[in-house]
Every structure is written in C-alpha cells, then in structure tokens.
Amino acid sequence: MTLLIFGKTGQVAQELARRAPDAEFAGRAAADLTDPAACAALIRRMRPGAVINAAAYTAVDKAESDAATAHLVNADAPAAMALACAELGIPFVHISTDYVFDGTGTTARAEDAPTAPLGVYGQTKLDGERAVAASGAQYAIMRTSWVFSAHGNNFVKTMRRLGAERDRLTIVADQIGGPTAAADIAAAALSMANTMTADATKGGIYHFAGAPDVSWADFAREIFAQSGLTPEVVDIPSSDYPTPARRPLNSRLDCAAITRDFGVARPDWRVSLQDVIKELRA
C-alpha cells in the first residue's frame, strides 16, 4: 500500500517517517496547506492507498490574531483532502485535539461529548473535524493532547532547559490531561490506516492520549526526575499565567473506543518519556 502523509517537520510527522520510511511525505514544497486545492490535487495525482494528515497550524496563541491562516490549514485543507479521499475511495486519518472541548468538569470526555472550543485554534480544528466527517470519505479523526517528543518545541524540551538553568519554577497545576508521545501517536495512526484499508467499516472519531492523567506541574516533576534535575516546582493556577488563548482545564480523554475498534491501548507516557529523554541525551 502506498501511504501519503501530509507533514514533514512536525513532531508526529518525524515519528511517522521513522515507522513508515517507504511512505510519501508531503511537506510545504509539495503541498502548502494554505492552498487546500493543491493538497487535494496531490492526492488525486498520487492515488495512494491511504492518507494521514499529520500537519496542522498548532500555534495556539498566534491563532487568536491569525484566524484566517489557522482556518485554511486546520479546516479547509483537511476538508479538501477528505473530499479527494472520498472520490478515490481511500481511508483518511486526521489528527485533531482536545482543544475542541471547553475543559469544564473533572471527568474524561468521550467522543460524543459536547464540543465548545475556548479559542480560535480549537474552533478551526473542530471545523476541520466537521468537514472531514461530512466529506463522504472513510475517515478516522484522532483527538490527542499534550504532544511531546525529541523534536521541535514542546513542554519536555522546555522543562529540561529551564530545569538546568533555574533553581525554582512556577508551573500551572490546575490543567489536567494526558501527555502523549508523538511516537505513540504515529504508531496509532499507522495502525488505524492499515486496519481501515482492510476493513471499510472502520472509522469515526477517536480519543488517544497517554496515561495516567496529570497536571502540567506534576508532568514537569516527572521530567525533572527522569532527567536528574532538581529545581523546586511551585504549583500555580492558570490565572497566574495568562495567555492570549485560554487553555482547557480538563483535558482528560476517554480512550476506550480506539482500543475497542483498533486494538490500540492507551500508552503510559512515563515509559515513552524515558525514550524521549534517552534520545535527547544522545
């Protein structure tokens, strides 16, 4: 099966490249996501066996002042991709986010829970989900959260840098979610694409996040412990760390459906963190 993957430099795309070296990867030079028609044209021209969209506009705060670009990349581009996949009768796997929810409450949200994004980023991702679902394609939308890896900019790399520079760090403790390694997301996306190719009945919206759920402050404590760093971590509320875009306080995701339909178990992010830190040290 020829696999076409949108994205080349992002955290998940780089992990997909490790696991699917024979796949075709479409970076900006091949298909700019601000040109949805070009993305669809590439799919029609290549006629792959399946498509994974691992590219997105992920600058959550910048999206507040750049809504048009965020919508092009997060909504219009996946919509065009999904329509092209529907025309060719091939599976489409699309990666989304916990930011489609408002973050209220304390329970883990299932896939059919009401959506209510707090900002532009979350709204554009939700718009993309809705367009994909309406496309007529065989699709799987994977909502995930708190992505980390040895690549790019992410919380793990930032904490390791700050933990080596400072004796004391104040970190938000009232946002709770499941840190998810890009490697685990990549493996899950490939498993979904393979299963959907073999079984046309598979698909829908799924949640996938690392376990156990944790606060950013406690996530940082584990990063420091595994990294051999000893800064003091002081818990603070989100109100003490204002950002242009509001973050959901509750990012807990119920991941039972992806295990039921695809056999993909919720990974222990602490184990995945060991691999990332080992790679960073190397």
Side-chain angles (χ1 to χ4, degrees):
M1 176 186 74
T2 302
L3 178 63
L4 174 61
I5 297 172
F6 284 89
K8 202 165 187 178
T9 60
Q11 297 186 75
V12 175
Q14 290 191 63
E15 292 296 337
L16 281 165
R18 289 177 167 178
R19 287 157 180 77
D22 295 331
E24 293 288 339
F25 286 82
R28 185 169 296 180
D32 190 333
L33 268 73
T34 61
D35 186 355
C39 298
L42 179 63
I43 295 172
R44 295 187 183 102
R45 185 168 67 251
M46 285 192 57
R47 303 183 72 86
V51 175
I52 296 175
N53 180 30
Y57 186 112
T58 57
V60 175
D61 290 324
K62 186 180 178 183
E64 293 297 308
S65 58
D66 191 20
T69 305
H71 196 274
L72 267 175
V73 174
N74 290 343
D76 296 339
M81 294 175 196
L83 285 170
C85 289
E87 292 172 17
L88 297 175
I90 59 175
F92 180 58
V93 177
H94 175 63
I95 298 171
S96 192
T97 175
D98 61 292
Y99 276 59
V100 299
F101 298 115
D102 64 7
T104 56
T106 58
T107 59
R109 279 179 163 77
E111 287 80 358
D112 60 355
T115 51
L118 298 176
V120 170
Y121 167 71
Q123 185 62 55
T124 61
K125 292 296 286 185
L126 179 59
D127 291 344
E129 287 188 10
R130 289 171 171 167
V132 169
S135 68
Q138 180 192 6
Y139 71 89
I141 293 167
M142 184 202 305
R143 292 175 180 152
T144 191
S145 61
W146 297 20
V147 183
F148 68 92
S149 71
H151 322 295
N153 299 315
N154 59 69
F155 187 75
V156 170
K157 294 177 72 176
T158 299
M159 287 300 102
R160 279 171 54 84
R161 174 176 56 81
L162 294 178
E165 296 172 352
R166 304 180 188 178
D167 295 327
R168 182 177 183 272
L169 291 165
T170 56
I171 302 176
V172 169
D174 58 355
Q175 295 174 26
I176 309 296
T180 318
D184 293 325
I185 297 170
L190 289 170
S191 178
M192 295 170 88
N194 288 329
T195 299
M196 292 167 68
T197 301
D199 185 348
T201 68
K202 296 294 186 183
I205 298 176
Y206 297 91
H207 290 170
F208 181 71
D213 293 316
V214 70
S215 71
W216 286 113
D218 284 338
F219 185 20
R221 289 184 175 97
E222 182 64 21
I223 294 166
F224 296 143
Q226 290 196 22
S227 301
L229 300 170
T230 58
E232 178 190 4
V233 175
V234 179
D235 293 4
I236 62 169
S238 298
S239 57
D240 284 1
Y241 189 72
T243 54
R246 291 170 58 200
R247 269 65 173 170
L249 297 182
N250 176 23
S251 288
R252 301 172 180 87
L253 298 175
D254 183 333
C255 302
I258 196 171
T259 303
R260 179 196 68 215
D261 289 359
F262 292 98
V264 175
R266 192 176 181 189
D268 187 328
W269 61 263
R270 296 165 299 189
V271 175
S272 301
L273 178 62
Q274 293 174 8
D275 296 333
V276 169
I277 290 176
K278 186 184 299 182
E279 182 175 354
L280 289 169
R281 283 174 169 160

